[in-house]
Amino acid sequence: VQWDRILKMFGLSIEESKDDSTTKLVHWNSMCRFGLVIFSVYCNPSIPSGHQHQNESDQPPTPRPQEPWTFVHRERPGAPSTLLSNTLASTRLRSWDFCDGQAFESKEPIVFSFSNDPRDKRQFMKISTCSLEAQQFLAPGEGGILGMGANAIVHRVELKSTSPRSFNDINNNNNESDETQNEAGNEEWDAAVKRPFSLGKMLASLEAGSEAGLGKRLRQLAHRSLLNSDGRVLYFYGLGIALSSNAYQPTEYKFEAVILARYEEEFSTYTMKRFMEDYISPASLLPSRGNGKLEENNNDWREDFSLISVKVLLVSLLNAFRDLTLMGVQAFDFNHLGNVLVSRDFQSVKLLDIDGDSRGSIPLSEYMSEVSLPTAPASSLSPSTTLVRRSSQLVLHKPSLDVDLNAVLPTVVQQLLLGKRKGTSFVTNTKSTIWRLPPCEAKELIKQTVSENFGPLTKSHMAKVVEWFYAMLKKQPPWGNWTHDIYDAMRCIDHLPVR
């Protein structure tokens, strides 16, 4: 594949070596241009004076530390310039497709900012797009900043194609006209560019089992099949190279490896965390509709958010987890709601940060070889149940997506059913009251709250909703282990009564 790519994309001639038939020779021509990008350099660890003459064979090898490689851009005397203008060095963000290697660059020159201290996140929010000017954004969501997490910041950057056609287009459409070639060469789209805060995070994100590796794998799967046809998993484009300037020493620069995803206006920056905050905010505080703007005519979108809307949103979330399983992803971090985006119509979700704690893809060999049953009595296990004990002593069905559904999902369901326009404290207090009250009184409280949130329901429908919620909340049969894995959770949410 690599030889074909070199031949088709760059028009280089390739021949077999006369000395070794297994070796191929590439003939470069004057059209070829190459650039060297250095991200980091190895440093020699300091050795204490008292240990310099010890036998090195007795000591385990110590990994050599790395530090970011930086350089200084000096101005020419009498001819001031910046890396954004009047310079031979290109400061446009460059990127390449995971699948076919098609090249893109930012429409305008752009230089980001960084700080040597990863905790100083505000200094990563400066963006320079013209000479002698660096815009300072004070919060995520401003300017070209889409969001900020614990490990990285995400920017919105407009890209344009710099290669006439992709590798696949050349193979599939050799007889197309020049007009199609020009249209492909003018392709443009918006990217969400993820920049890690530290060198360690950047290197970790590029590993095969981390986000870049899984993103490439998902792109290849989606490129050849319909596993992500509903778009519930973030569309990863490829890798890029960006230039950033030290926020405290503007003449000091470094290169950064970034991961690019496709920016979608429908989802933008509206995380499920913000959605839940808007959903349960008191009625006196009119929430936005995911775009930071209040509803026109003071309409409250929560008025139309029915039980069916609750079920559709939860089903979309669990289906997104199942999509990860279909793609062979082993784990997903669902210990917070910042990893999930919600659409503007509140009917679908999109998953972010799919690295799964760098667990990589599902190792089928583990499920074939490891059969270690827990110490529970044999009578308590059904004949068809296959279990595995992990190092954390958590017993899971196997195989299944490794995602913690106990941390967040029950709270989301409780807030959706009980907390509509009532606030977090109301949900917490109502849940505690339901647990303390006798079953009849607890179910009456659930009935009253659901009726206030979703309007009057028919008697039979309300009875089914109350029974379902009470059993789900107290984990009674048949929902005793509904947070065990995604399949048990899907079965529970599928039976949320609607009409």
Side-chain angles (χ1 to χ4, degrees), residues 422-459:
K422 296 182 181 299
T424 306
S425 59
F426 176 85
V427 177
T428 303
N429 295 335
T430 303
K431 174 187 172 183
S432 300
T433 304
I434 292 173
W435 271 93
R436 293 194 307 265
L437 290 176
C440 293
E441 298 181 15
K443 293 178 181 180
E444 185 63 29
L445 178 58
I446 295 173
K447 177 181 178 180
Q448 176 183 350
T449 306
V450 171
S451 180
E452 292 175 357
N453 291 338
F454 301 100
L457 306 178
T458 62
K459 185 176 180 180

Side-chain angles (χ1 to χ4, degrees), residues 24-40:
K24 293 187 177 182
L25 302 178
V26 179
H27 293 270
W28 307 111
N29 54 40
S30 59
M31 299 295 294
C32 300
R33 295 291 185 271
F34 300 92
L36 174 65
V37 176
I38 302 176
F39 295 116
S40 62

Side-chain angles (χ1 to χ4, degrees), residues 7 19 76 97 120 129 145 149 239 241 263-264 270 282 299 328 392-393 421 433 443 478:
L7 177 64
D19 299 330
R76 293 175 296 164
D97 189 284
D120 192 6
T129 56
I145 300 176
L239 291 176
I241 298 175
Y263 170 82
E264 297 185 30
Y270 198 47
N299 292 329
S392 61
Q393 303 301 313
R421 297 176 296 187
T433 304
K443 293 178 181 180

Side-chain angles (χ1 to χ4, degrees), residues 1-11 97-104 161 163-174 184 187 223-224:
V1 175
Q2 296 296 332
W3 297 117
D4 291 339
R5 183 172 300 173
I6 292 176
L7 177 64
K8 299 295 185 180
M9 291 190 66
F10 302 105
D97 189 284
F98 271 140
C99 294
D100 54 35
Q102 186 177 12
F104 284 78
S161 174
S163 54
R165 285 187 298 171
S166 67
F167 176 65
N168 290 336
D169 289 338
I170 294 175
N171 285 339
N172 298 331
N173 304 304
N174 286 326
E187 182 181 354
H223 194 66
R224 302 181 181 132

Side-chain angles (χ1 to χ4, degrees), residues 134-435:
Q135 296 172 280
Q136 172 67 67
F137 300 109
L138 302 178
E142 296 182 2
I145 300 176
L146 297 179
M148 181 186 299
N151 302 321
I153 184 172
V154 182
H155 304 271
R156 178 183 179 183
V157 179
E158 296 181 348
L159 300 179
K160 63 179 181 180
S161 174
T162 59
S163 54
R165 285 187 298 171
S166 67
F167 176 65
N168 290 336
D169 289 338
I170 294 175
N171 285 339
N172 298 331
N173 304 304
N174 286 326
N175 297 324
E176 288 188 355
S177 63
D178 293 338
E179 182 179 356
T180 304
Q181 294 181 22
N182 293 334
E183 289 177 357
N186 294 331
E187 182 181 354
E188 299 178 354
W189 59 281
D190 288 357
V193 180
K194 184 175 182 179
R195 299 173 50 227
F197 288 130
S198 64
L199 175 64
K201 297 295 183 182
M202 185 191 79
L203 297 178
S205 68
L206 299 178
E207 295 178 357
S210 193
E211 192 164 21
L214 284 179
K216 178 180 179 180
R217 186 172 183 271
L218 298 189
R219 266 297 311 282
Q220 291 173 336
L221 288 173
H223 194 66
R224 302 181 181 132
S225 66
L226 299 177
L227 293 181
N228 193 30
S229 59
D230 294 321
R232 286 185 285 258
V233 179
L234 188 65
Y235 179 94
F236 284 87
Y237 164 73
L239 291 176
I241 298 175
L243 184 67
S244 60
S245 170
N246 193 327
Y248 297 103
Q249 298 179 12
T251 59
E252 181 183 2
Y253 296 86
K254 71 174 183 178
F255 293 108
E256 298 178 349
V258 295
I259 303 176
L260 280 72
R262 190 177 294 277
Y263 170 82
E264 297 185 30
E265 184 66 29
E266 177 64 20
F267 290 87
S268 186
T269 62
Y270 198 47
T271 64
M272 198 165 191
K273 178 181 178 181
R274 287 182 53 197
F275 166 78
M276 295 305 303
E277 292 173 350
D278 290 343
Y279 181 81
I280 65 176
S281 61
S284 59
L285 301 176
L286 193 63
S288 62
R289 194 178 177 89
N291 52 11
K293 300 179 181 179
L294 295 178
E295 285 288 312
E296 296 181 1
N297 302 323
N298 292 329
N299 292 329
D300 191 345
W301 57 264
R302 295 172 297 185
E303 292 285 349
D304 300 326
F305 203 84
S306 62
L307 279 176
I308 294 180
S309 303
V310 171
K311 187 170 184 176
V312 167
L313 182 63
L314 292 174
V315 168
S316 178
L317 175 63
L318 295 175
N319 281 339
F321 293 153
R322 186 170 182 269
D323 289 347
L324 287 181
T325 306
L326 293 176
M327 297 175 182
V329 178
Q330 184 177 2
F332 181 76
D333 179 14
F334 193 52
N335 291 315
H336 59 89
L337 296 177
N339 283 347
V340 182
L341 295 179
V342 178
S343 62
R344 303 298 189 191
D345 58 5
F346 318 119
Q347 294 182 4
S348 59
V349 304
K350 191 177 293 291
L351 299 184
L352 306 175
D353 294 338
I354 58 164
D355 61 329
D357 196 24
S358 299
R359 297 278 300 279
S361 59
I362 295 177
L364 296 180
S365 58
E366 174 184 334
Y367 301 122
M368 297 175 183
S369 60
E370 293 188 11
V371 183
S372 55
L373 295 178
T375 57
S379 59
S380 64
L381 300 176
S382 63
S384 60
T385 302
T386 305
L387 303 175
V388 60
R389 178 177 291 278
R390 295 176 48 224
S391 58
S392 61
Q393 303 301 313
L394 176 65
V395 178
L396 293 174
H397 290 288
K398 72 174 190 179
S400 63
L401 181 71
D402 188 358
V403 55
D404 186 3
L405 300 179
N406 287 294
V408 176
L409 187 59
T411 302
V412 169
V413 177
Q414 294 160 19
Q415 291 182 348
L416 288 174
L417 270 294
L418 302 178
K420 186 177 180 180
R421 297 176 296 187
K422 296 182 181 299
T424 306
S425 59
F426 176 85
V427 177
T428 303
N429 295 335
T430 303
K431 174 187 172 183
S432 300
T433 304
I434 292 173
W435 271 93

Side-chain angles (χ1 to χ4, degrees), residues 48-88:
S49 57
H51 300 273
Q52 293 180 355
H53 302 288
Q54 289 185 356
N55 188 356
E56 295 182 358
S57 61
D58 297 337
Q59 301 294 332
T62 303
R64 299 174 63 188
Q66 299 184 58
E67 65 178 20
W69 181 78
T70 61
F71 63 94
V72 175
H73 172 69
R74 301 186 182 279
E75 304 291 346
R76 293 175 296 164
S81 63
T82 70
L83 281 179
L84 290 169
S85 63
N86 302 324
T87 177
L88 296 178

